[in-house]
């Protein structure tokens, strides 16, 4: 990897008339306060003693960016420096102070004619959806509506062939998890081959990926019907499921009389994750997006009920006076989090409304997501106001709703972010 970095840096630097212009530098200073309404009665986080979520957090983050682009390549880097102070709800989430520095993104790219070779840390996102990209094996969830948070990035190496102005083929390998730490499963490299075509009124792409013996195939595209209407899709298919199931006493194959967690026994079953949607832009400029997603790998009603009963049983053990039982229960409750799982249920709907001029220098983004079978969802409202060309104030409120046995209300009843961003 170090050798690749040296080679690419040399290509990017090159000789002769390399640089198209002076290096570009910019910075954002983000100041924020967040308030968390933590569920005290959650079976997945009893009394907040397991997750240790804060009640309040204040912080500041410097987001820096530097980029140099020339005839033979690109060099870019995006460091972050963050300070935060959190106020806890109990001994498990005591008051803390934290200062950290890290690289959110970088790019070392060499250009050889119409072929680009690169080593990067980035959010490699694609697809037209506002909420998710089932075809993306690296970042399935793509929502970036919260101005105070950034999705964690990953490390890639790859090559891109720009066939012409309309067609591109890229071979990419995710070589490290970067800042996107894969909780509860070991990181394994993943390789994807992706092709894109951009037409006058439509765009389409296809991707095939491989990770640890598992192949995934996907496609995405959009069609601009007219100046107001766009329709789009994003889909993937794969075999096998790594979802954890809760097996009730007496159900497990060994006849155990206790709860167990086990992966699904459908290693060769083909699953489909399909999202379809559309957007409509009103004459005044505001836009509405509506999306529907069907993921056959999601939990069935019986599987969701078993998981909930499992969590209730483990929460009781976690609160017991037996330290061994409490420790085992904590591990079991942590395992069912499954942050890499795609969706909790199988059918979901999403809506987004964007109005960039709801008031002078003020914009509004409203989002609603809802699981049709799990009967739970969340609402997010983001209001931002430009004080001037450099300073923006913003508020971000997210309120889960619906069933308390679903996915969105496991830990929080609401979260509110308030703050400002100053750009330089």
């Amino acid at each position: 990897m170090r050798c690749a970095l040296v080679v690419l840096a040399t290509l990017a630097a090159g000789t002769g008339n390399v640089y198209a212009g002076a290096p570009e530098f910019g910075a954002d200073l983000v100041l924020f306060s967040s308030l968390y309404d933590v569920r005290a009665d959650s079976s997945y986080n009893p009394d907040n003693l397991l997750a240790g979520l804060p009640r309040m957090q204040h912080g500041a983050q410097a987001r820096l960016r530097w980029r140099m682009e020339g005839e033979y390549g690109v060099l870019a880097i995006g460091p972050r420096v963050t300070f935060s102070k959190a106020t806890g709800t109990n001994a498990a989430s005591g008051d803390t102070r934290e200062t950290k520095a890290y690289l959110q993104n970088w790019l070392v790219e060499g250009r050889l004619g119409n072929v680009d070779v690169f080593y990067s840390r980035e959010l490699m996102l694609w697809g037209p959806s506002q909420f998710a990209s089932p075809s993306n094996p690296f970042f399935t969830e793509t929502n970036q509506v919260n101005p105070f948070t950034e999705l964690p990035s990953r490390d890639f190496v790859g090559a891109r062939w720009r066939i012409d102005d309309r067609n591109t083929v890229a071979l990419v390998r995710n070589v490290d998890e970067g800042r996107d730490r894969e909780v509860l499963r070991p990181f394994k490299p993943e390789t994807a081959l992706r092709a894109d075509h951009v037409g006058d009124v439509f765009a389409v792409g296809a991707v095939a990926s491989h990770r640890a013996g598992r192949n995934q195939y996907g496609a995405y595209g959009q069609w601009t019907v007219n100046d107001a209407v766009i329709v789009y899709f994003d889909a993937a298919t794969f075999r096998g499921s790594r979802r954890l199931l809760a097996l009730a006493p007496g159900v497990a194959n060994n006849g155990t009389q206790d709860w167990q967690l086990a992966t699904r026994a459908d290693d060769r079953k083909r699953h489909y994750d399909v999202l379809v949607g559309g957007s409509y832009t009103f004459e005044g400029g505001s836009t509405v997006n509506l999306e529907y997603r069907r993921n056959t790998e999601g939990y069935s009603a019986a599987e969701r009920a078993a998981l909930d009963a499992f969590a209730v049983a483990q929460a009781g053990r976690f609160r017991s006076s037996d330290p061994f039982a409490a420790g085992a229960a904590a591990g079991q409750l942590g395992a069912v989090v499954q942050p890499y799982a795609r969706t909790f249920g199988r059918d979901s709907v999403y809506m987004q409304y964007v109005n960039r001029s709801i008031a002078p220098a003020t914009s509004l983004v409203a989002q609603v997501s809802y699981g049709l079978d799990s009967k739970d969802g969340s609402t997010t409202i983001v209001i931002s106001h430009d004080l001037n060309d450099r300073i923006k104030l913003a508020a971000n409120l997210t309120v889960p709703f619906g069933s308390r046995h679903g996915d969105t209300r496991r830990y929080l009843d609401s979260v509110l972010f308030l703050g400002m961003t100053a750009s330089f």
Side-chain angles (χ1 to χ4, degrees), residues 109 114-118 122 158-162 168-171:
E109 180 178 279
N114 60 346
V115 175
D116 307 327
V117 183
F118 61 88
E122 61 178 296
R160 183 188 309 109
W161 178 27
R162 292 174 278 106
T168 304
V169 175
L171 180 64

Side-chain angles (χ1 to χ4, degrees), residues 47-330:
D47 304 316
N48 196 29
L49 293 174
L50 187 58
L53 300 173
R55 176 177 58 86
M56 182 183 303
Q57 188 176 36
H58 309 287
Q61 182 180 66
R63 300 176 180 176
L64 310 177
R65 53 190 179 274
W66 179 90
R67 180 181 178 90
M68 179 182 292
E69 183 170 357
E71 180 181 353
Y72 299 112
V74 180
L75 292 173
I77 192 170
R80 303 288 187 264
V81 180
T82 302
F83 168 78
S84 62
K85 177 182 178 182
T87 302
T89 63
N90 51 37
S93 64
D95 298 353
T96 61
R97 292 173 180 263
E98 183 180 32
T99 301
K100 57 184 178 181
Y102 58 89
L103 293 177
Q104 170 68 7
N105 55 74
W106 71 63
L107 173 62
V108 182
E109 180 178 279
R111 295 173 176 172
L112 306 173
N114 60 346
V115 175
D116 307 327
V117 183
F118 61 88
Y119 171 44
S120 66
R121 170 172 290 183
E122 61 178 296
L123 296 173
M124 189 169 288
L125 307 179
W126 61 70
S129 169
Q130 302 298 312
F131 294 86
S133 179
S135 66
N136 191 329
F138 311 122
F139 300 96
T140 304
E141 306 302 321
T142 59
N143 194 349
Q144 300 183 80
V145 68
N146 191 336
F148 303 104
T149 61
E150 293 182 304
L151 294 176
S153 48
R154 290 174 167 248
D155 297 355
F156 300 92
V157 294
R160 183 188 309 109
W161 178 27
R162 292 174 278 106
I163 301 173
D164 52 40
D165 292 341
R166 294 181 179 270
N167 299 282
T168 304
V169 175
L171 180 64
V172 179
R173 184 169 176 83
N174 178 203
V175 295
D176 191 84
E177 58 192 344
R179 296 198 59 250
D180 190 17
R181 299 302 176 189
E182 294 200 10
V183 182
L184 304 176
R185 74 168 181 176
F187 170 80
K188 295 183 180 179
E190 187 162 11
T191 304
L193 178 64
R194 175 184 166 202
D196 286 280
H197 173 79
V198 178
D200 293 330
V201 295
F202 72 93
V204 65
V207 58
S209 63
H210 177 84
R211 180 185 189 272
R214 181 186 184 186
N215 297 324
Q216 175 179 300
Y217 306 98
Y220 51 92
Q222 72 175 45
W223 174 37
T224 303
V225 180
N226 52 46
D227 292 341
V229 178
I230 297 175
V231 294
Y232 50 85
F233 77 96
D234 199 319
T237 181
F238 49 89
R239 287 191 182 276
S241 172
R242 297 183 177 91
R243 287 291 181 94
L244 289 177
L245 301 181
L247 303 181
V251 175
N253 293 333
N254 59 8
T256 181
Q257 296 304 305
D258 198 1
W259 282 97
Q260 280 194 352
L261 285 177
T263 55
R264 276 183 175 151
D266 63 349
D267 287 342
R268 299 303 299 165
K269 181 179 179 180
R270 181 162 295 282
H271 292 283
Y272 299 89
D273 188 357
V274 180
L275 182 148
V276 293
S279 69
Y280 183 83
T281 301
F282 296 91
E283 188 173 344
S286 58
T287 302
V288 172
N289 287 75
L290 294 175
E291 301 180 1
Y292 166 74
R293 183 177 180 184
R294 168 74 172 176
N295 174 27
T296 62
E297 192 201 14
Y299 286 119
S300 66
E303 291 169 342
R304 294 194 303 272
L307 273 178
D308 192 57
F310 171 84
V312 171
Q314 298 303 324
R317 296 175 181 179
F318 182 79
R319 294 187 175 101
S320 72
S321 58
D322 183 346
F324 296 101

Side-chain angles (χ1 to χ4, degrees), residues 301-360:
E303 291 169 342
R304 294 194 303 272
L307 273 178
D308 192 57
F310 171 84
V312 171
Q314 298 303 324
R317 296 175 181 179
F318 182 79
R319 294 187 175 101
S320 72
S321 58
D322 183 346
F324 296 101
Q332 295 288 287
L333 289 173
V336 299
V337 174
Q338 301 178 84
Y340 51 85
R342 288 174 173 256
T343 59
F344 184 61
R346 296 183 176 179
D347 296 278
S348 305
V349 291
Y350 308 94
M351 186 277 288
Q352 175 176 278
Y353 173 74
V354 178
N355 190 328
R356 299 298 182 188
S357 57
I358 195 169

Side-chain angles (χ1 to χ4, degrees), residues 1-10 108 119 157:
M1 184 57 63
R2 291 182 179 177
C3 292
L5 179 59
V6 171
V7 171
L8 291 173
T10 303
V108 182
Y119 171 44
V157 294

